[in-house]
Amino acid sequence: MNDSSRQDLAFLRGMTGRRFGRRDALRLTGLSAAGLALAACGVQGKSVARPTSSAQVESEVDKYWSGKVKNGHIDFANWPLYMDPKLPELKEFTKRTGITVNHKEVIQETTSWYAKIQPQLAAGQSIDYDVMIVTNSFQLTQLIKLGYLAPLDHAQLPNFAENVGERYKIEAFDPGNIFTVPYASGMTGIAYNPKYVDTPPTSYAALWDPKYKGKVGMMADSQEIANFGMFALGIDPDKSTQADWEKAAAKLKEQRDSGIVRKYYDQSYIDPLAKGDIWITQAWSGDIFQKNLSDGTDLKFVIPDEGATIWTDNFMIPKTAANPVDAIMMIDFFYEPDIAASMAEYINYVTPVPAARDIIVEKAAKASGEDKKTLEMIASSPLVFPSDDDYAKLRTYVTFADSEEHKKFESVFQPITTS
């Protein structure tokens, strides 16, 4: 990107201000009873064999993309507050390509979004969107298994190949990035308030420490607490069995029944942590970064020795999309380092493009005042740019073989936070 384009992006963004990530506007993908019902009614369909060889992938790609052309428009389904509302990146894309983008913040929760679009996709009908953002989850697994997503033509994704970190090219939920590529990621680890916790925690054992009785926060989301229970026992969630789930649930019940947990939180843990109502908690990396940036707090986030959770929100193209060529052009555009940097500056979650850091450092050198301070903070934060050592310790959520396994998982962990 030339200097003129960078200046256009900066102008469209305006002055730095309070950042809101999409998790300010939702609860992660935890399934309440209502959510379970939605999920259950939206998983029927016939599984489609996933291509297992490069020849099969190439055949599926050729079959889907043959004859498809640029149409000049994209309908984009996203989460609330997951892009600067001034849409500087999309305006730059339109300026360069002539392709207009109708960006809608219509995804409020993974389960309800899946329940909404699944009947249309099953019937081979358009969902009125050409690209959407979905978190790695049971619902994403279903979208892939039931054949609802277009196989991505990586020949049209040169920026992905060149600029995206290797960590995002080996995702267990979509090996080979056949159907998905990353939009942004975040981590679930331990946060603490140093006013009350003198020794930085290095292990999940801290969340079971009696000295923090009544001052520990945990999340209400089943996937999140399950991972922590397994981490505490040295179990890799993505390789776990039902027997492992039972062991982790027993560990979490021990924590609950001993009175250590003050409350099981959704997004609302961040203010109690800052005020001292809780001293140490499960936390999302972006929340901690944003709270410190906006309110001047000094909350700390750590990845314990046993590891932590990484979740990824992903671009994907529904197989019934009207404008897939335009959509894949836009997806690849987001992997230009300048564009990735611009996104990271606003949403403050982990960018899949490591080179974005150099762009932000360069901008910080030219900035002044609060803008300079903010850009330096973003560029130096391991919550936006994790180190290789951090990535090596990160694990994903449990991957479910089918809906029955998913229901079993929920039956094991959901009662911990609701009983």
Side-chain angles (χ1 to χ4, degrees), residues 380-400:
S380 63
S381 175
L383 306 188
V384 181
F385 295 99
S387 68
D388 290 343
D389 288 343
D390 288 338
Y391 272 123
K393 295 196 292 183
L394 298 176
R395 300 291 181 267
T396 58
Y397 300 121
V398 173
T399 301
F400 303 104

Side-chain angles (χ1 to χ4, degrees), residues 10 14 41 61 64 80 143 193 249 278-279 293 307 371 395:
C41 72
V61 168
Y64 179 80
L143 287 168
N193 189 326
I278 53 176
W279 297 351
L293 181 63
D371 281 358
R395 300 291 181 267

Side-chain angles (χ1 to χ4, degrees), residues 354-373:
R357 184 206 296 260
D358 293 337
I359 303 298
I360 298 174
V361 169
E362 182 183 334
K363 289 181 180 179
K366 298 177 181 178
S368 60
E370 284 300 311
D371 281 358
K372 183 180 184 69
K373 179 181 176 181

Side-chain angles (χ1 to χ4, degrees), residues 10 13-19 293 345-346 348 367-375 378:
R13 180 172 310 289
M15 296 298 291
T16 7
R18 167 70 166 100
R19 265 70 170 176
L293 181 63
E345 289 168 31
Y346 184 79
N348 302 150
S368 60
E370 284 300 311
D371 281 358
K372 183 180 184 69
K373 179 181 176 181
T374 297
L375 291 168
I378 294 169

Side-chain angles (χ1 to χ4, degrees), residues 246-266:
E246 297 288 353
K247 293 174 186 175
K251 181 74 171 174
L252 291 161
K253 289 174 183 174
E254 169 197 316
Q255 180 199 39
R256 179 197 64 189
D257 295 345
S258 64
I260 289 174
V261 178
R262 179 184 179 90
K263 184 178 178 181
Y264 293 96
Y265 292 93
D266 44 39

